[in-house]
């Protein structure tokens, strides 16, 4: 399987960093992480698990990626984490990504959840996206 997780991760990262409404929610500097620093301020978004499977798209070889995005908030109540999930969805669902070395086909939200974390202080949002690309 010739999947390039980094190309998809980079495309997601670039798209989210360029999204002004999302950045307004996350603050400056951009709080979008692959690895969260120990002193990270809330709220922030993390790039989570990635999975790829080979498929045929319109008669051409391609890949379906399942990408998880997590958002974290310490605001009182779940409103902030839900606003971040909505901003992610506005940018990604049905949007375009520039995936290096692959032809982008689509990005769709598969599911999303928002809940209070086990620590009783942190709200956690999780969005599962499906991203389909074709081989060049």
């Amino acid at each position: 399987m010739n999947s390039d997780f980094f190309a998809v991760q980079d495309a997601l990262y670039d798209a989210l960093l360029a999204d002004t409404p999302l950045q307004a929610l996350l603050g400056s500097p951009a709080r979008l992480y692959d690895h969260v620093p120990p002193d990270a301020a809330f709220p922030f978004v993390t790039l989570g698990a990635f999975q790829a499977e080979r498929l045929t798209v319109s008669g051409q070889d391609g890949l379906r990626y399942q990408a998880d995005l997590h958002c974290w908030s310490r605001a009182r109540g779940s409103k902030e984490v839900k606003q971040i999930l909505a901003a992610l969805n506005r940018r990604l669902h049905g949007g375009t990504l520039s995936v290096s070395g692959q032809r982008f086909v689509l990005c769709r939200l598969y599911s999303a959840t928002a809940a209070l974390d086990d620590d009783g202080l942190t709200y956690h949002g999780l969005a599962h996206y499906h991203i389909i690309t074709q081989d060049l």
Side-chain angles (χ1 to χ4, degrees):
M1 178 179 299
N2 185 20
S3 63
D4 188 348
F5 288 115
F6 292 117
V8 173
Q9 178 173 314
D10 286 347
L12 284 169
Y13 190 81
D14 291 345
L16 297 177
L17 281 180
D19 189 77
T20 303
L22 176 62
Q23 291 309 311
L25 291 167
L26 296 179
S28 181
R31 293 193 296 261
L32 176 61
Y33 304 111
D34 181 25
H35 175 77
V36 181
D39 60 345
F42 287 87
F44 58 87
V45 171
T46 59
L47 304 171
F50 278 74
Q51 178 181 349
E53 66 179 302
R54 178 73 49 203
L55 69 143
T56 301
V57 181
S58 301
Q60 186 172 346
D61 286 341
L63 290 161
R64 176 183 18 235
Y65 294 90
Q66 296 178 48
D68 290 347
L69 297 175
H70 299 262
C71 50
W72 307 89
S73 170
R74 286 262 172 98
R76 292 187 65 145
S78 62
K79 180 179 180 180
E80 184 174 62
V81 82
K82 289 174 183 172
Q83 289 173 323
I84 295 168
L85 285 169
L88 292 172
N89 194 47
R90 279 191 300 276
R91 173 55 187 96
L92 297 175
H93 183 77
T96 60
L97 297 173
S98 180
V99 182
S100 177
Q102 300 172 53
R103 181 176 294 113
F104 174 80
V105 176
L106 66 83
C107 180
R108 295 281 187 257
L109 178 67
Y110 179 73
S111 66
T113 59
L116 184 62
D117 211 25
D118 291 340
D119 68 4
L121 301 171
T122 309
Y123 280 88
H124 177 204
L126 172 59
H128 300 283
Y129 285 91
H130 287 187
I131 299 162
I132 297 178
T133 64
Q134 291 178 321
D135 296 346
L136 291 177

